[in-house]
Amino acid sequence: MPTVPLSETVASLIPRARAELAELVSFASVADARQFPKSECEKAAAWVAAALRDEGFQDVALLDTPDGTQSVYGFLPGPAEAPTVLLYAHYDVQPPLDESAWLSPPFELTERDGRWYGRGAADCKGGLLMHFTALRALKEHGGVPLNIKVIVEGSEEQGTGGLERYAEEHPELLAADTVVIGDVGNFRLGLPTVTSSLRGMVLMEVRVATLEGNLHSGQFGGAAPDALGALIHMLASLRDETGATTIDGLDGTGEWSGLGYAEEDFRRDAKVLDGVELLGNGTIPDRLWARPAVTVIGIDAPPVVGATPSVQAAAGALVSLRVPPGFDVGKTARALTEHLRAAAPWGARVEVTLRGSGQPFAADTFSPAYRAMAEAMREAYDEEMAVAGQGGSIPLCNTLATLYPRAEILLIGLSEPGAQIHAVNESLSPQEFERMSLTEALFLLRYAASQSAGQGV
Ligand code: BES
Ligand code: MN
């Protein structure tokens, strides 16, 4: 065993992790074949499988899941009596959006101002390498004292449920005593955080049709039913005048008890322009973590350049609706569908199609593994562990909690506010990567020790 501290071993592993992150980021693994060739996801999956084999994992497999994407699985056996820990990450990423708005190419990991830029650097390819770095450090310090399963999903960002359905059909596969989801992040840079709640999400496409074809807006406008106008009217009905989400049948009065989030901190994290107001009411955590929130994330309508003076015959939108723990996404999807139908003016024809969904999740942060995590975070950061909510979604969490009700589920990761995940110029803080890798290694050690003590060994 080396005499150097674990922190130094982790530090010595960073150059390798960075080189591997550059390889992983080079795959445009967006799990939407309409936007990127499927081969990019296949290359990323193959990379993950090879990396698991190199680490000594057994039973490494590319799992064909029902949504057509592959998840990668591997098992690293530990001491016979040791508990099993499942480590989760996803290799798929969000599309780069406007590539010209990136200061460096989205699929080339680039260092700038002390951060590593690239699509998926923080969400969640860095999370996968955090798991690897923690395991490698432990191997240099006497071995990994646990049975480790790794599962790396290929369509998390789509909400199409491939791995969730696969896990339900193979309930033994991901069984574990404890799960570490490496796909969330610290409340702010340098503040070690576990996430106690995730919102669920419904992704709904709405299409409106009113005419057989577009019409001259001078000759017909004023009486001809305008499909884009109808859509705007329907979408506007999803909020009140403060901007709070108001969907018939959905309670918007939930309150968050726990960590606070000052308005000025939120304004800074969200980069809100001076003079522009925030939406909704209640505290910021109420709005982010305890209430439904609707966002129109895409509209099919003529772009301004090239638009003609026409009344539109058809229009469409994609709507994202987040709901906190306590809501069921099936019921939420029905409420949204009915609300949109009821809000359609002028007898416009409306088609509403569910495109994706995931259930919300609430962790039991008083379970024993959280004590080990609190110790690990304190040691790695010299700061007390914070417990925060999170408004984003990771649908598999609910599936795991349902399949394995006794498993402890911990959510950590690299997506602090500065990472700007899902936006252009996503980046990873290398310091955060190093400290979170150390945190995870320390956690695995402490957790293994606490379990063997608990068993009276
Ligand atoms: N890593 C995110 C979840 C997240 C969001 C963590 C914000 C920390 C901060 C995850 O990859 C994600 O974005 N999930 C999707 C899932 C959806 C399509 C069902 C999301 O939340 O939009
Ligand atoms: Mn993610």
Side-chain angles (χ1 to χ4, degrees):
M1 272 223 265
T3 49
V4 302
L6 193 61
S7 59
E8 277 179 37
T9 304
V10 169
S12 73
L13 291 165
I14 300 304
R16 177 174 177 196
R18 179 188 171 156
E20 290 175 340
L21 184 59
E23 288 176 31
L24 255 186
V25 165
S26 76
F27 307 124
S29 45
V30 178
D32 180 352
R34 297 170 303 183
Q35 300 185 59
F36 285 88
K38 209 175 167 191
S39 55
E40 293 296 306
C41 280
E42 288 165 354
K43 283 189 271 185
W47 190 98
V48 174
L52 285 170
R53 287 193 192 98
D54 284 351
E55 277 325 303
F57 276 75
Q58 302 176 359
D59 307 331
V60 175
L62 297 171
L63 311 174
D64 288 311
T65 76
D67 70 1
T69 64
Q70 290 183 318
S71 291
V72 191
Y73 170 83
F75 176 62
L76 184 70
E81 298 306 312
T84 299
V85 176
L86 173 70
L87 306 179
Y88 167 91
H90 60 87
Y91 67 78
D92 70 307
V93 297
Q94 288 287 339
L97 304 167
D98 177 6
E99 296 209 26
S100 67
W102 283 78
L103 298 176
S104 51
F107 299 110
E108 262 175 61
L109 192 72
T110 306
E111 180 163 358
R112 197 165 55 246
D113 306 327
R115 294 187 67 102
W116 299 345
Y117 287 81
R119 173 56 88 225
D123 182 13
C124 167
K125 290 170 171 175
L128 173 61
L129 291 166
M130 171 183 80
H131 295 322
F132 279 149
T133 303
L135 295 176
R136 287 169 184 161
L138 292 182
K139 284 182 191 164
E140 290 187 29
H141 283 255
V144 180
L146 297 154
N147 293 293
I148 302 286
K149 292 179 177 177
V150 166
I151 187 75
V152 190
E153 183 173 6
S155 61
E156 192 275 343
E157 301 287 5
Q158 301 295 322
T160 41
L163 179 57
E164 292 136 79
R165 300 292 88 74
Y166 190 95
E168 285 160 0
E169 288 161 17
H170 302 81
E172 279 311 302
L173 184 76
L174 303 181
D177 298 290
T178 287
V179 181
V180 179
I181 303 281
D183 187 28
V184 204
N186 290 339
F187 183 63
R188 62 178 142 75
L189 192 69
L191 179 67
T193 307
V194 288
T195 293
S196 60
S197 110
L198 295 168
R199 286 193 291 196
M201 186 208 218
V202 166
L203 255 186
M204 199 70 89
E205 183 172 331
V206 50
R207 301 232 151 248
V208 180
T210 48
L211 299 162
E212 283 183 14
N214 291 356
L215 299 171
H216 191 289
S217 64
Q219 193 180 3
F220 293 96
D226 170 4
L228 183 53
L231 179 66
I232 290 167
H233 181 92
M234 291 158 63
L235 298 176
S237 76
L238 299 170
R239 297 177 189 276
D240 69 13
E241 64 288 348
T242 71
T245 298
T246 50
I247 292 169
D248 302 339
L250 292 193
D251 175 26
T253 61
E255 289 179 4
W256 177 262
S257 59
L259 186 79
Y261 197 167
E263 280 206 28
E264 64 211 67
D265 293 342
F266 177 81
R267 290 189 74 91
R268 199 183 44 245
D269 287 344
K271 301 184 179 158
V272 181
L273 301 179
D274 280 345
V276 181
E277 293 168 17
L278 302 183
L279 306 188
N281 39 66
T283 67
I284 298 292
D286 291 346
R287 297 180 233 182
L288 300 180
W289 306 331
R291 296 182 183 182
V294 74
T295 309
V296 178
I297 62 173
I299 294 199
D300 280 343
V304 169
V305 175
T308 57
S310 310
V311 179
Q312 299 298 310
L318 192 60
V319 175
S320 143
L321 175 58
R322 308 272 177 178
V323 288
F327 284 70
D328 173 73
V329 292
K331 287 187 191 149
T332 302
R334 284 193 288 281
L336 177 59
T337 304
E338 277 161 31
H339 180 112
L340 286 167
R341 287 191 186 289
W346 321 318
R349 294 190 192 166
V350 177
E351 220 177 283
V352 185
T353 314
L354 184 64
R355 290 291 177 214
S357 68
Q359 295 287 3
F361 173 74
D364 168 16
T365 55
F366 295 99
S367 71
Y370 278 85
R371 281 201 290 279
M373 185 59 83
E375 285 172 20
M377 288 185 157
R378 190 183 306 121
E379 186 169 341
Y381 280 83
D382 207 13
E383 287 268 356
E384 286 302 306
M385 175 174 92
V387 180
Q390 174 53 250
S393 313
I394 306 171
L396 186 72
C397 292
N398 180 282
T399 307
L400 295 176
T402 306
L403 282 174
Y404 317 116
R406 287 168 53 196
E408 303 188 54
I409 303 181
L410 298 101
L411 284 71
I412 60 171
L414 304 164
S415 294
E416 37 74 39
Q420 298 279 295
I421 62 169
H422 292 203
V424 298
N425 298 307
E426 174 181 348
S427 67
L428 171 66
S429 156
Q431 288 77 26
E432 200 82 326
F433 178 81
E434 183 175 329
R435 281 184 295 195
M436 284 309 297
S437 300
L438 175 60
T439 297
E440 187 168 328
L442 289 167
F443 164 74
L444 294 171
L445 280 180
R446 301 266 177 286
Y447 174 67
S450 72
Q451 290 301 103
S452 59
Q455 287 163 10
V457 176

